[in-house]
């Protein structure tokens, strides 16, 4: 019996039984995802789409040197999910997307809402990359090991479900730059992409993760990250995401080990398009620490949505959590939705959250223009400063920021966003917001 085919059929049956995400689902109500037929490649527009351009070279996941530095000890396996043995290796050790909690009980509402994405992915996934970062056991290594990696992904087909699995070994420090920038080709066929990544950090491991995702204007993209942090592990993410026809960035971080830390910084740029970020921090270990900070920019008729949810379990004593969401309309009449949320089941914690929305301060623009800058350049300078400070707080390593040339990357992203703005600037925050 073909076990790979059986697994694909089982996923489809599970999807049929559970149904697709309803339009009133709380986690997705502000930016509902396209119907299930789109993600399965069964929508009429997918059947009629055609493209005579040759396929991209090096499509899929490619591994590169980062700044000329050695990659360290990295075991990389590109796996074919249609092959039964390779599919088993690709999915080995990963929890099934059941929508239930670890004890087998009914999971929380947000997990249930997102479960159909996971079943679609399991039914459609054809290829994946599995990385094991770090060589010999920590007891046999001398000084702390730092591994520098760059991952690039290009679409392989019009409808796809790529997969990434990363295991960072005990005590290893890894710097990962992950980019999803569509190359300019003769045919700009829209892409539907449902990507799932599973990242596990062993005890004492550190991952500094810079992600830059720039889909095409007509692309429909959903990226799902599942992370599990062991004792004393530390995860730091900086995300730069631009808008598309539909663009979802969803990450769920489980701080299972004591003293685990997770820090998330996001820069969302919706210029006449849509983007949503969902970040869920689940504290189950003691003395854990997490922060969620997002700066969302929107213009025209774009929609930018940020959902931040932090849950502190009943036995997660001495947890420290913070959420800070900021929305800035740069022109037009965009819709900005900022939703910070804390769910606390323990008395001995430190927690704070908040959201601010509004145009850039007029006095800051005035002083910036005193330097001889035009209005758009002044806006860009102020926003770059806000974004740089945001990433500096999350990554907490100025030399790393300099070595990755993050400042130039942020400057380019902000300039591209402001360059697409209508000529009339927005002076009053009149757009709808939540």
């Amino acid at each position: 019996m073909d076990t790979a085919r059986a697994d694909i059929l089982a996923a489809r049956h599970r999807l049929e039984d559970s149904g697709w995400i309803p339009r009133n689902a709380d986690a997705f109500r502000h930016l509902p995802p396209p119907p299930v037929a789109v993600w399965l490649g069964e929508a009429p527009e997918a059947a009629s789409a055609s493209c005579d351009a040759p396929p991209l070279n090096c499509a899929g996941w490619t591994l590169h040197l980062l700044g000329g530095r050695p990659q360290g000890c990295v075991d990389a396996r590109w796996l074919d999910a249609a092959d039964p043995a390779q599919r088993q290796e690709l999915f080995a050790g990963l929890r099934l997307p059941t929508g239930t909690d670890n004890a087998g009980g009914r999971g929380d509402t947000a997990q249930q809402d997102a479960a159909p994405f996971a079943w679609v992915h399991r039914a459609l996934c054809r290829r994946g990359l599995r990385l094991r970062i770090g060589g010999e056991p920590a007891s046999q290594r001398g000084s702390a090991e730092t591994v520098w990696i760059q991952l690039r992904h290009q679409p392989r087909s019009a409808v796809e479900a790529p997969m990434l699995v990363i295991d960072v070994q005990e005590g290893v420090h890894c710097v990962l730059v992950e980019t999803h920038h569509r190359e300019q080709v003769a045919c700009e066929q829209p892409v539907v992409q449902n990507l799932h990544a599973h990242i596990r950090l062993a005890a004492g491991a550190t991952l500094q993760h810079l992600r830059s995702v720039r889909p095409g204007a007509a692309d429909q993209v959903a990226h799902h990250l599942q992370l599990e942090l062991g004792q004393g592990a530390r995860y730091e993410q900086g995300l730069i995401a631009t808008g598309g026809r539909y663009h979802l960035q969803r990450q769920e971080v489980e701080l299972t080990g004591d003293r685990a830390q997770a820090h998330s910084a996001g820069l969302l740029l919706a210029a006449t398009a849509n983007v949503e970020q969902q970040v869920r921090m689940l504290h189950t270990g003691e003395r854990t620490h997490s922060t969620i900070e997002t700066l969302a920019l929107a213009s025209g008729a774009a929609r930018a949505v940020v959902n931040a949810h932090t849950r502190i379990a009943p036995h997660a004593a001495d947890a420290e959590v913070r959420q800070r969401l900021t929305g800035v309309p740069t022109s037009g009449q965009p819709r900005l939705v900022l939703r910070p949320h804390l769910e606390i089941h323990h008395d001995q914690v430190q927690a704070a959250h908040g959201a601010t929305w509004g145009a850039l301060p007029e006095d800051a623009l005035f002083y910036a223009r005193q330097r001889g800058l035009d209005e758009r350049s002044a806006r860009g300078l102020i926003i770059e400063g806000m974004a740089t400070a945001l990433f500096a707080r999350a990554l907490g390593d100025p030399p790393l920021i300099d070595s990755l040339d993050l400042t130039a990357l942020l400057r380019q992203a902000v300039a591209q966003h402001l360059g697409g703005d209508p000529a009339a600037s927005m002076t009053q925050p009149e757009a709808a917001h939540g």
Side-chain angles (χ1 to χ4, degrees):
M1 178 181 180
D2 187 342
T3 56
R5 180 62 178 168
D7 188 42
I8 293 170
L9 292 176
R12 283 183 171 269
H13 287 315
R14 182 59 182 261
L15 184 63
E16 292 174 359
D17 292 341
S18 62
W20 186 238
I21 300 169
R23 292 192 63 84
N24 62 349
D26 183 68
F28 296 92
R29 64 189 177 96
H30 292 284
L31 192 61
V36 64
V38 171
W39 304 102
L40 291 172
E42 299 171 352
E45 58 266 27
S48 60
S50 62
C51 180
D52 297 329
L56 290 172
N57 293 327
C58 299
W61 293 106
T62 54
L63 188 64
H64 305 267
L65 290 174
L66 182 57
R69 296 178 176 87
Q71 292 177 352
C73 187
V74 179
D75 179 18
R77 293 271 294 162
W78 283 262
L79 299 166
D80 182 358
D83 178 88
Q86 294 188 42
R87 186 181 184 88
Q88 183 178 8
E89 181 181 352
L90 180 61
F91 286 95
L94 305 180
R95 291 200 301 267
L96 289 172
T98 58
T100 61
D101 58 24
N102 292 335
R106 185 174 176 82
D108 62 43
T109 302
Q111 290 174 322
Q112 296 171 45
D113 289 347
F117 266 116
W119 288 112
V120 169
H121 179 269
R122 202 169 182 95
L124 202 66
C125 180
R126 295 295 179 268
R127 297 174 182 86
L129 171 61
R130 190 151 191 153
L131 298 177
R132 182 179 183 272
I133 302 174
E136 63 274 5
S139 59
Q140 300 178 19
R141 292 195 298 264
S143 58
E145 179 180 359
T146 300
V147 181
W148 298 76
I149 301 176
Q150 183 173 17
L151 281 176
R152 299 175 186 168
H153 188 274
Q154 286 290 323
R156 298 182 66 103
S157 58
V159 181
E160 63 176 9
M163 186 168 179
L164 175 66
V165 182
I166 299 177
D167 287 291
V168 183
Q169 301 302 299
E170 181 178 350
V172 174
H173 177 205
C174 179
V175 178
L176 170 61
V177 176
E178 177 190 347
T179 59
H180 301 262
H181 300 168
R182 288 197 62 182
E183 294 182 2
Q184 297 295 322
V185 294
C187 176
E188 289 295 336
Q189 177 177 328
V191 168
V192 176
Q193 184 182 84
N194 178 20
L195 180 148
H196 283 241
H198 299 261
I199 301 174
R200 295 175 293 192
L201 305 186
T206 300
L207 177 60
Q208 294 177 294
H209 192 182
L210 175 61
R211 305 186 71 245
S212 180
V213 187
R214 301 181 185 179
D219 291 350
Q220 300 176 89
V221 173
H223 287 186
H224 303 259
L225 277 67
Q226 297 280 342
L227 296 106
E228 184 175 347
L229 277 57
Q231 182 175 356
R234 183 182 180 94
Y235 178 72
E236 301 171 351
Q237 183 192 108
L239 169 68
I240 303 172
T242 60
R245 182 177 175 185
Y246 177 80
H247 186 182
L248 170 67
Q249 289 292 325
R250 187 176 191 274
Q251 67 184 64
E252 184 172 305
V253 185
E254 297 185 40
L255 296 93
T256 57
D258 295 347
R259 300 185 304 280
Q261 298 187 40
H263 305 277
S264 171
L267 174 63
L268 309 185
L269 304 119
T272 69
N274 305 313
V275 62
E276 176 172 1
Q277 182 188 32
Q278 298 181 10
V279 184
R280 296 177 55 78
M281 298 287 186
L282 309 176
H283 291 250
T284 57
E286 296 185 356
R287 300 182 297 281
T288 51
H289 183 199
S290 74
T291 61
I292 302 172
E293 291 194 65
T294 298
L295 172 60
L297 309 178
S299 63
R303 287 182 290 176
V305 182
V306 184
N307 277 289
H309 186 117
T310 302
R311 183 182 189 275
I312 302 176
H315 50 278
D318 297 317
E320 296 184 24
V321 304
R322 186 166 66 94
Q323 298 175 0
R324 182 180 178 183
L325 312 181
T326 304
V328 178
T330 53
S331 69
Q333 295 291 315
R335 180 174 177 84
L336 283 159
V337 180
L338 310 175
R339 302 181 68 198
H341 182 72
L342 299 177
E343 182 183 347
I344 302 174
H345 298 276
H346 198 289
D347 294 334
Q348 193 174 332
V349 301
Q350 297 184 32
H353 69 164
T356 58
W357 180 95
L360 294 175
E362 290 298 329
D363 56 346
L365 286 170
F366 173 79
Y367 287 117
R369 296 201 61 183
Q370 297 306 300
R371 303 173 61 178
L373 302 175
D374 57 43
E375 183 172 348
R376 191 175 72 179
S377 298
R379 288 176 178 272
L381 183 66
I382 295 171
I383 294 171
E384 287 171 31
M386 296 170 65
T388 301
L390 174 75
F391 279 73
R393 287 191 294 269
L395 299 176
D397 189 350
L400 173 68
I401 293 175
D402 292 339
S403 65
L404 297 179
D405 203 13
L406 180 57
T407 302
L409 189 63
L410 293 174
R411 182 178 299 114
Q412 181 186 24
V414 172
Q416 182 179 359
H417 173 82
L418 296 178
D421 286 348
S425 63
M426 184 174 185
T427 58
Q428 298 293 332
E430 299 176 350
H433 63 283

